Amino acid sequence: MQGQNQQQAYDRGITIFSPDGRLYQVEYAREAVKRGTASIGVRTSDGVVLAVDKRIRSPLMERSSVEKIHKADDHIGIASAGHVADARQLIDFARRQAQVNQLRYGEPVGVETLTKEITDYIQQYTQVGGARPFGVALIIGGIVDGEPRLYETDPSGTPYEWKALAVGADRGDIRDYLEANYDEEMDLDAGIDLALASLASVNDDELAPEGIGVATIDAETETFGVLSDEEKESHLAAADLLEADSEADDEGEDADDETEE
């Protein structure tokens, strides 16, 4: 009982290390990330791919209101997993920092520079009493001088650079799939296919275009772009990952079109 009470005391204090060197609130923030739907980042020779699971809780919900992929700058995109409200705060901070860098230095902010500014901001919330850590992890992808870069932020305020990664639910299983199938020489289309296949691997090997989000940052143009439902459906169909209901809907629409003609 005494040991349990002692642990609860360390639970309450974000600024206090437990005797075994742990910050419990940071660990709980990581658990909040695991409760979020999966987000995936893949770095290719031609750019960066971001893919997310946009789980819709009700058919009455507007799909456009579920935001997990964000544009931070023309050449940088961010995907999130975890506490949505915390993600919005960090996205707004990232956008402000990108604008400050452009105004101050007359050039776009570097991906590594922006990532470290975000993680420095996150880390402050692990040292201030009366505050709590951010319960979200970000995947930050972008292009610097034609070179794709891909980073992850952690609730502790630590940045990591990756070739491919996943955050959120089923992170371990998705990472295993990425490790088994990743190829550094793949192009952007192959990177999209890998991201979708890894996401489908934990969703019964099928996905609906409206249930996912995909964005790319092209190395040649250094621009961020979001794939339309039609583009996502094309990739899913080519990889035989399209959800059966979606295929049935498409057949029904085609039949309606023929009837109208």
Side-chain angles (χ1 to χ4, degrees), residues 68-80:
K68 290 197 62 181
I69 295 181
H70 310 263
K71 177 181 177 181
D73 204 345
D74 290 338
H75 64 301
I76 297 177
I78 300 177
S80 66

Side-chain angles (χ1 to χ4, degrees), residues 1 29 38 45 52 74 76 92-93 95 118 124 126-127 146 149 159 164 175 180 196 202 215 232 235 254 259-260:
M1 181 65 69
S45 59
V52 300
D74 290 338
I76 297 177
D92 287 345
F93 175 81
R95 288 170 174 164
I118 294 171
Q124 292 177 23
T126 68
Q127 289 188 304
R149 306 292 293 273
R175 184 188 296 178
L196 293 177
V202 294
K232 289 181 287 186
H235 279 278
D254 292 342
T259 303
E260 289 174 0

